[in-house]
Amino acid sequence: MSAATQPDTHVAPNRPGRSIDEHRVILSVAAFLWLILAVFGAVGIVQRLLLGEQLTTYSSYIPWGLWVAAYIYFIGLSAGAFLLSSLVYVFGVRQLEAIGPLALFTAAVTLAMALLSILFDLGHMERFWEVFLRPQFHSMMAWMVWLYAAYFLLLLAELAIVLRQRWSRLNDEQLARDRTRLRVLGTIGVPLAIAFHGGVGALFGTVVAREYWNTAIFPIIFLTGALVSGGALITAIVAFLWPTLDSGWRELVAYLSRVVILLVLLDLLLEFAEYSIPSWYQVGAEYNLITYILFGPYWYVFWVVHLLLGVVVPVILLTRRHALAQGFGAVLVAITFFAVRLDLVIPGLIAPELQGLEHAYLDPIGNRLVYSYMPSLFEWQVTAGVLALGIALFVVGYRFLRLVGPVQDVAAEGDAR
Amino acid sequence: MPPLGSPHQAVAPPEDPTDAAGPSGLERRDFLIKAAAMLAAGVAFPWGGLDVAVLPAQTSSAGATDPAVPAFAISPQADEDVLIRMQRDLARALRKPIEQRRWGMVIDTRKCVACMSCTVACVMENKLPPGVVYRPVIDTEIGTYPNVTRQFLPRPCMQCDNPPCVSVCPVNATWKRPDGIIEIDYDVCIGCRYCITACPYQARTFDFGENWTNNAATGAPAALALAGAAQYENEPNFEYSERWNRANGPIPTSPVGNARKCHFCAHRLVDGLLPMCVTTCLGRATIFGDLNDPEALVTELAASSNAIRLKEDLGTEPKVFYLL
Ligand code: SF4
Ligand code: SF4
């Protein structure tokens, strides 16, 4: 399925596919939408900083909500994008060479979004550094924080090397040294990324009190999830933002699409195991929780958002021989994966650990002793704010850091415009 | 012993004769603890001075033998109130060094009438805001109408000997004291709520900064009630023998933003007082004392043939027993 032989080539190589006017309209619409998102989000973030967690709807019985789901979603994107970059720098996959810097930068931005999300979730944000001052290494959470701190530094180092390569002309000797450095850093980075994102899965998986989380498949499913969502995000970015729309671009998108399809199907297989094993004989505590996910009040999160919009439709789109269709498929996978993250966090918490606790003592004022959860507008606002911030960071970086395009052409292209 | 201590290492193995975890269970645990501590020691070595087991806060609040505790002078009588006997047991326990005490509780479900006075007394004693509760009473109906009965189950923190809530805390803000009470350091807790998810009894709740006057009616008739409630809100509480004036704000004042839970009224115990829920229990269904003291009423009852612990199979080794 080589894209180069595609008959329906509708754009000439090396030229923007749209007229300047069309381009401008799309840009202003996008900027306008971003502005709405940013204002909506900024209000939430300011409220969060002034009022703490009073406007949230999570409770003492469902203590983790939207922000934790957002956190594991963003951190999954980061781990996935990073692992994709390691295909280039560690395993030398030629077809992906062009996306190395982009993948690294995306990993850094999404990591920042993840950390911001979880920071807002803390009851005492100002004490986050205690995790570094007095860590307690029995805790999976302490491990996770330390591992992704290390990962963050490594990411910055790799990014610095890659950007230097793109910004200045290096001689062959310097290039060779950089390649070695990148290979070493990437080789450290791969187990690190596996460890910290597997660790995020283990953070849930090790909690004995929660039947739904307490399975060995959790770290594994978190990792495949990271690859699926991170891979899809990079595919979408390449499909829609790549500077040149030539056959090389189409081949790249087609290659990435095949990778994403494979990962989506692998993830589906693991998910089938996760849901079918504990519920096959339709009895047991976990059976009830899985029934809740599939047929409870939020059934549409699984069936519509995840399965239809996150698997079926995207797989159809990704198999089309058209780069933009493939791009849309990838966008769907990347966005709807948030539903999977929600379905990992919340259902683990919705069943009372002791029968009857749900009406033993109520909280009519704050509603903090309930076993149901729907994120408040405020929680969405904060997440939107994080998203807007991340998008801004990404766009600025994408515009000014020269992450994509052939190195030599950067100067020439600038002259031509 | 590896250089990095842990909350577990400071604690002797359970002395409870009914201890269900066999030696193999303990060995495996020990192995895991040691393995993790060794790994951790490698990482945390530069901070060797911050040995988690000897942080000052972990030993301060309990105090050692307190000479200020008044001797309890009433001698035993045949049909005395169990509160008197418990008071005597308590005074005896407090004369021992702290590491020889092992506080425990027995709750007789047959005597509990679900009056909830323990729940309310606890709220008053610890100035609990809405949404924070240390000792709810679970009321379950058993059977099908009209053949039904009800069962009442007050649920304090079990003060597990093997507490899953402790090992999950990333900053070591919660630990087992030498007398077995699981303590939370409000000044350290970052409010991540991991421990809340890890407690199999859901004994931990989060202080979201709610107040009893939130959304309350206003206007002339409400003024008096509001004034009373506002005063209640401004009173400090004395958990862990410290003064806590909770408050909201950009940086909330602890315990707002912290995990909170029952601590057997540790601040009352040091002064020779029984936990609030014990003294207010109408049916005398809540018995408290030192499980290391063979003479204590609590030890006597915990050894009854009808004594059970909740979720025994998890191996958490609760120190709260229920008589069925
Ligand atoms: S009952 Fe829950 S909070 Fe109390 S010690 Fe056990 S695990 Fe910790
Ligand atoms: S909420 Fe506080 S006590 Fe609980 S695990 Fe987090 S930091 Fe530790």
Side-chain angles (χ1 to χ4, degrees), chain A residues 49 53-54 58 60 63-64 121 123-124 126-127 133-134 136-139 203 210 353 355 363 368-369 371, chain B residues 50 55 167-172 186 189-194 196-197 200 202 206 210 250 252 254 256 311:
Chain A
L49 294 177
E53 290 176 275
Q54 290 180 72
Y58 44 78
S60 281
W64 286 346
D121 194 69
H124 281 270
E126 79 285 0
R127 294 183 190 160
L133 289 189
R134 40 180 299 163
Q136 202 266 109
F137 282 110
H138 291 276
S139 168
L203 185 141
R210 304 289 170 170
E353 288 291 332
Q355 277 302 318
D363 168 21
R368 303 294 185 178
L369 295 172
Y371 285 91
Chain B
L50 275 179
L55 286 169
S167 27
V168 299
C169 178
V171 294
N172 202 35
Y186 292 153
C189 169
I190 60 174
C192 67
R193 309 189 289 284
Y194 198 10
I196 300 183
T197 70
Q202 300 206 301
F206 187 69
E210 303 285 348
S254 288
V256 172
K311 302 200 179 184

Side-chain angles (χ1 to χ4, degrees), chain B residues 291-310:
Chain B
L291 289 168
N292 276 351
D293 179 358
E295 308 287 301
L297 178 58
V298 75
T299 318
E300 205 173 280
L301 292 177
S304 323
S305 57
N306 59 337
I308 60 132
R309 298 187 292 182
L310 298 182

Side-chain angles (χ1 to χ4, degrees), chain A residues 212 218 271 274-275 286-303 306 339-340 342-348 350:
Chain A
Y212 177 63
F218 251 58
E271 203 169 50
E274 186 201 1
Y275 287 171
E286 240 191 290
Y287 168 66
N288 296 332
L289 294 174
I290 287 164
T291 321
Y292 176 88
I293 296 173
L294 300 184
F295 310 110
Y298 305 116
W299 59 273
Y300 53 87
V301 174
F302 179 84
W303 294 104
H306 170 48
V340 178
L342 272 172
D343 265 348
L344 283 173
V345 178
I346 316 295
I350 51 115

Side-chain angles (χ1 to χ4, degrees), chain B residues 156-160 163-166 182 198-204 261 316:
Chain B
C157 167
M158 306 287 142
Q159 317 293 350
C160 305
C165 57
V166 164
I182 312 297
C199 169
Y201 308 96
Q202 300 206 301
R204 289 180 172 233
K261 70 171 198 63
T316 50

